[in-house]
């Protein structure tokens, strides 16, 4: 599971690291045994040769025993850790305030759930283990080389130290290049999503071909960014491998110069050359491992930034008893980066058993009021109460139980129709689901599409917009919450469907607090209280007839609505 203090703890595989460390030592011991045999064994000494071969076979068998179970468990643990990390990121996103969630770019989220976790899984299952193996093997080989011929080994160590200092410089440069690549992937993912989602509009206006070059430019920028980083780093990586090879070559040359030509010296020379040449194998691998580490660090930074987003603080109070009304008391709010207040000291009361309508031009603050009431965002001034309880004092579940929302765009999940209607009340019976659907005038349509077990296609493609909206309204009816929030709920309905939903809403508001956002003013003409919002301020409030007499702003809205024939649209 994901630790609160370290979300990446589940990816760590200490047993795999230890096993690979031991494996690296054993790998080096194979070369060391061969080198010792060159020092002590003559071509005619058959028993010693057999002992050497037996030792090599035994070490190989021991390596297999060490890694047989540990490698499989390590890979399984790393990928289980990746699964838990994805789940942890998802849970974190669910808890985020809507404003913080929307500030996260979609491409960044796609990158986090996809490639970033893959690089971290790769680091846990392979990269770190390979670093342990190669470090252990190289160290053991150098120690053996020191024992056989100290001076050439010291020369090799000095040159290798120079190479690894160079590798450190390479790592910083390569990480910057891979950082550009990661940002390019985020933008490419975002562009791909937008291009695919907008395909119906692009096709309708024959604009797909015209817009394709913009998408292709984004992909080309990704390619160039990645190419620039890799092309910059590749010569440095080649240079590092060259330094490693040069270190071994110079050490071997030193061994040759120190050789006196005697039989013992020739054996020592062969053993020293073998060990120094074997050292090149693990040393050269660090260039590729460094690149894998850089990609994992970038992934960890991206995911860590998402997980570090601040939670919205909340209280521990349960939902207020009874059918509490909603009160806005001098509520102010400003969107991040905006100079003007979206809401400026707005006050109104929505009483139980009444319908309160929020009207105004686009951008006047209507939907913002609903978002603040649901705590998708937090007020910057004032307070919102439900049943005389500040919503900030409620637990998230308690607050969610107080309202049943129907948004402007129906939010439908890829599941059965029944599961979509039960979303706010999972324990509802089949009869209750059907009754809610009948109130929302969608039962007959559902039965015609195969019944309540029919699976709603991704993005609701097997239902029309108005049908999806009525499924969402059935969900709100079934939840039976004390507060009902309707954000342009009839925007996707034809006049007949709008009339049916209006009948259902009239039945729904009995003993409930209903707050409606609507551009079709005909749908709220009978509202108990209408709040006229203008540039974030509550300019007027009252019933329809009263506002026609007292509010110039409302008269203008009503006149424009009548002139555009909104009721027939």
């Amino acid at each position: 599971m994901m630790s609160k203090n370290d979300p990446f703890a589940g990816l760590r595989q200490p047993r795999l690291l230890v096993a690979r460390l031991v494996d690296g030592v054993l790998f080096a011991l194979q070369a060391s045994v061969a080198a010792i045999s060159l020092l002590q064994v003559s071509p005619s000494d058959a028993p010693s040769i057999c002992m050497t071969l037996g030792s090599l076979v035994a070490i190989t068998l021991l390596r297999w025993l060490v890694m047989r179970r540990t490698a499989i468990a390590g890979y399984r643990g790393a990928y289980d850790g990746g699964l838990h990390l994805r789940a942890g990121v998802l849970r974190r996103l669910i808890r985020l305030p809507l404003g913080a969630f929307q500030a996260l770019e979609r491409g960044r989220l796609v990158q986090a759930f996809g490639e970033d976790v893959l690089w971290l899984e790769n680091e846990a299952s392979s990269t770190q283990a390979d670093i342990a193996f190669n470090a252990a093997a190289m160290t053991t080989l150098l120690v053996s080389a020191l024992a056989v011929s100290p001076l050439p080994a010291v020369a090799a160590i000095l040159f290798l130290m120079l190479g690894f200092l160079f590798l450190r410089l390479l790592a910083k440069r390569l990480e910057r290049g891979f950082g550009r690549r990661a940002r390019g992937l985020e933008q490419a993912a975002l562009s791909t999503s937008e291009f695919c989602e907008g395909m119906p509009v692009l096709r309708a206006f024959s604009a797909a071909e015209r817009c394709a070059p913009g998408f292709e430019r984004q992909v080309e920028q990704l390619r160039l960014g990645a190419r620039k980083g890799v092309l910059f780093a590749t010569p440095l990586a080649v240079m590092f491998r060259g330094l490693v090879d040069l270190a071994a070559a110079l050490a071997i040359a030193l061994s040759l110069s120190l050789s006196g030509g005697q039989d013992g010296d020739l054996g020592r020379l062969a053993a020293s050359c073998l060990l120094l040449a074997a050292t090149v194998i693990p040393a050269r691998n660090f260039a590729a491992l460094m690149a894998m580490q850089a990609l994992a660090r970038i992934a960890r930074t991206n995911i860590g930034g998402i997980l570090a987003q601040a939670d919205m603080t909340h209280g521990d109070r349960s939902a207020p008893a009874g059918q509490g009304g909603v009160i806005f008391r001098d509520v102010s709010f400003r969107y991040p980066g905006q100079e003007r207040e979206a809401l400026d000291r707005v006050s109104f009361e929505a009483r139980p058993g009444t319908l309160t309508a929020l009207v105004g031009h686009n951008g006047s603050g209507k939907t913002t009021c609903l978002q603040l009431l649901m705590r998708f965002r937090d007020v910057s001034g004032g307070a919102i109460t439900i049943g005389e309880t500040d919503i900030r004092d409620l637990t998230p579940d308690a607050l969610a139980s107080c309202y049943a929302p129907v948004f402007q765009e129906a939010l439908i999940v890829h599941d059965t129709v029944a599961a979509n209607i039960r979303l706010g009340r999972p324990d509802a019976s089949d009869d209750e689901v059907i009754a809610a659907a009948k109130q929302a005038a969608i039962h007959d349509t559902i039965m015609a599409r195969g019944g309540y077990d029919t699976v709603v296609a991704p993005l609701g493609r097997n239902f029309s917009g108005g049908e999806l909206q009525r499924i969402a309204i059935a969900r709100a009816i079934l939840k039976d919450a004390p507060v009902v929030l309707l954000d342009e709920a009839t925007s996707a309905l034809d006049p007949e469907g709008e009339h049916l939903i209006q009948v259902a809403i009239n039945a729904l508001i009995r003993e409930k607090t209903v707050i409606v956002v609507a551009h079709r003013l005909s749908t709220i003409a009978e509202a108990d209280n209408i709040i006229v919002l203008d540039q974030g301020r509550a300019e007027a409030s009252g019933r329809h007839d009263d506002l026609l007499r007292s509010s110039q702003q409302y008269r203008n809205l009503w006149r424009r609505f009548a002139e555009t024939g909104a009721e027939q649209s």
Side-chain angles (χ1 to χ4, degrees):
M1 294 298 291
M2 193 171 73
S3 167
K4 290 184 179 179
N5 296 327
D6 185 1
F8 306 103
L11 286 163
R12 296 197 182 97
Q13 303 299 314
R15 290 182 59 189
L16 178 61
L17 289 179
V18 172
R20 287 290 278 161
L21 194 71
V22 173
D23 189 34
V25 172
L26 293 175
F27 168 80
L29 285 179
Q30 288 178 306
S32 299
V33 167
I36 292 172
S37 70
L38 293 174
L39 287 172
Q40 299 177 347
V41 179
S42 65
S44 60
D45 191 355
S48 297
I49 293 175
C50 290
M51 184 177 294
T52 298
L53 292 175
S55 299
L56 292 175
V57 172
I59 294 173
T60 301
L61 179 61
L62 184 57
R63 288 184 64 191
W64 178 79
L65 289 174
V66 167
M67 293 303 302
R68 183 171 65 95
R69 293 186 180 275
T70 310
I72 296 174
Y75 278 102
R76 184 183 295 116
Y79 289 110
D80 286 346
L83 176 64
H84 290 310
L85 180 59
R86 286 187 176 95
V89 172
L90 180 60
R91 287 193 298 270
R92 189 72 189 83
L93 294 175
I94 291 172
R95 294 195 304 270
L96 279 183
L98 183 63
F101 175 78
Q102 290 177 335
L104 296 171
E105 293 183 358
R106 194 186 316 173
R108 183 182 178 186
L109 296 178
V110 172
Q111 178 82 355
F113 279 100
E115 182 170 287
D116 284 346
V117 175
L118 287 176
W119 284 122
L120 291 174
E121 290 171 341
N122 180 72
E123 180 190 44
S125 63
S126 300
T127 306
Q128 291 179 341
D130 288 345
I131 289 174
F133 170 86
N134 286 287
M138 186 177 67
T139 302
T140 305
L141 288 167
L142 288 173
V143 170
S144 298
L146 279 169
V148 172
S149 184
L151 191 58
V154 169
I157 290 172
L158 292 175
F159 273 99
L160 285 173
M161 289 176 61
L162 178 63
F164 278 98
L165 286 174
F166 189 79
L167 186 64
R168 187 177 181 85
L169 173 64
L170 169 62
K172 294 180 179 179
R173 298 293 182 89
L174 188 59
E175 190 163 343
R176 286 198 291 269
F178 282 152
R180 288 191 292 269
R181 171 186 173 276
R183 290 189 294 273
L185 279 173
E186 292 175 11
Q187 292 301 316
L190 179 60
S191 297
T192 302
S193 176
E194 291 176 344
F195 190 76
C196 293
E197 288 180 5
M199 187 59 70
V201 175
L202 297 177
R203 290 277 186 89
F205 289 91
S206 300
E209 293 293 335
R210 296 196 302 273
C211 293
F215 171 71
E216 292 170 356
R217 281 194 300 271
Q218 188 67 58
V219 175
E220 178 65 11
Q221 288 176 4
L222 166 63
R223 186 186 72 83
L224 291 176
R227 182 174 180 269
K228 183 178 180 181
V230 172
L231 287 182
F232 180 82
T234 298
L236 300 179
V238 171
M239 194 175 297
F240 166 74
R241 292 193 178 98
L243 285 173
V244 171
D245 295 344
L246 180 62
L250 291 175
I252 290 171
L254 184 59
S255 295
L256 290 170
S257 66
L258 294 174
S259 173
Q262 302 297 319
D263 289 343
D265 289 338
L266 290 176
R268 186 176 301 276
L269 171 64
S272 177
C273 291
L274 172 62
L275 291 169
L276 292 171
T279 304
V280 173
I281 298 172
R284 284 174 61 94
N285 291 336
F286 278 97
L289 293 172
M290 172 271 306
M292 299 298 101
Q293 281 285 86
L295 288 165
R297 280 194 297 272
I298 292 169
R300 191 177 290 105
T301 299
N302 184 32
I303 293 177
I306 294 173
L307 294 173
Q309 296 287 325
D311 268 338
M312 181 178 284
T313 59
H314 56 80
D316 56 1
R317 297 185 63 176
S318 57
Q323 302 293 329
V326 173
I327 300 177
F328 275 56
R329 290 193 176 96
D330 293 324
V331 171
S332 296
F333 174 76
R334 178 183 298 177
Y335 287 97
Q338 298 296 315
E339 296 181 0
R340 185 176 66 83
E341 297 279 355
L343 291 180
D344 186 8
R345 298 188 298 277
V346 170
S347 296
F348 66 86
E349 179 177 3
R351 296 179 179 178
T354 66
L355 188 151
T356 300
L358 305 177
V359 301
H361 297 293
N362 289 334
S364 60
K366 306 183 298 297
T367 298
T368 301
C369 286
L370 297 191
Q371 291 185 351
L372 294 176
L373 175 56
M374 292 182 285
R375 284 204 80 193
F376 288 174
R377 306 174 187 274
D378 246 346
V379 300
S380 54
I384 302 173
T385 62
I386 295 179
E388 300 183 357
T389 301
D390 193 314
I391 62 174
R392 291 170 290 194
D393 296 333
L394 298 172
T395 66
D397 288 342
L399 177 59
S401 70
C402 290
Y403 58 78
V406 179
F407 298 104
Q408 184 173 359
E409 294 184 7
L411 301 179
I412 302 297
V413 297
H414 180 41
D415 206 335
T416 65
V417 174
N420 272 279
I421 296 176
R422 281 195 180 97
L423 199 59
R425 192 178 154 202
D427 59 345
S429 67
D430 291 344
D431 289 341
E432 290 172 319
V433 170
I434 293 172
K438 286 181 177 178
Q439 278 190 283
I442 192 63
H443 171 74
D444 292 342
T445 302
I446 293 172
M447 297 307 295
R449 300 293 174 82
Y452 287 84
D453 290 331
T454 300
V455 175
V456 180
L459 303 179
R461 294 190 185 97
N462 52 341
F463 287 87
S464 70
E467 291 165 350
L468 293 174
Q469 194 70 292
R470 280 181 277 167
I471 291 174
I473 292 173
R475 177 196 303 158
I477 293 172
L478 180 64
K479 187 176 181 182
D480 195 28
V483 179
V484 177
L485 307 176
L486 305 173
D487 186 4
E488 304 285 1
T490 60
S491 61
L493 302 177
D494 54 27
E496 181 181 357
E498 181 180 341
H499 170 72
L500 293 172
I501 294 304
Q502 199 64 52
V503 171
I505 290 174
N506 290 338
L508 181 64
I509 67 172
R510 295 193 187 103
E511 298 182 357
K512 295 185 184 298
T513 305
V514 180
I515 301 178
V516 178
V517 169
H519 284 305
R520 290 185 175 183
L521 298 187
S522 62
T523 62
I524 50 89
E526 300 300 322
D528 298 282
N529 191 22
I530 301 172
I531 312 300
V532 183
L533 294 170
D534 183 39
Q535 296 185 350
R537 291 177 177 270
E539 293 293 340
S541 64
R543 295 184 67 88
H544 171 71
D545 293 337
D546 296 333
L547 288 172
L548 284 177
R549 290 191 298 269
S550 62
S551 172
Q552 181 64 44
Q553 182 73 20
Y554 187 73
R555 284 196 299 272
N556 291 340
L557 289 170
W558 187 261
R559 185 179 66 251
R560 289 178 184 176
F561 166 73
E563 289 174 352
T564 55
E567 288 183 280
Q568 286 75 38
S569 63

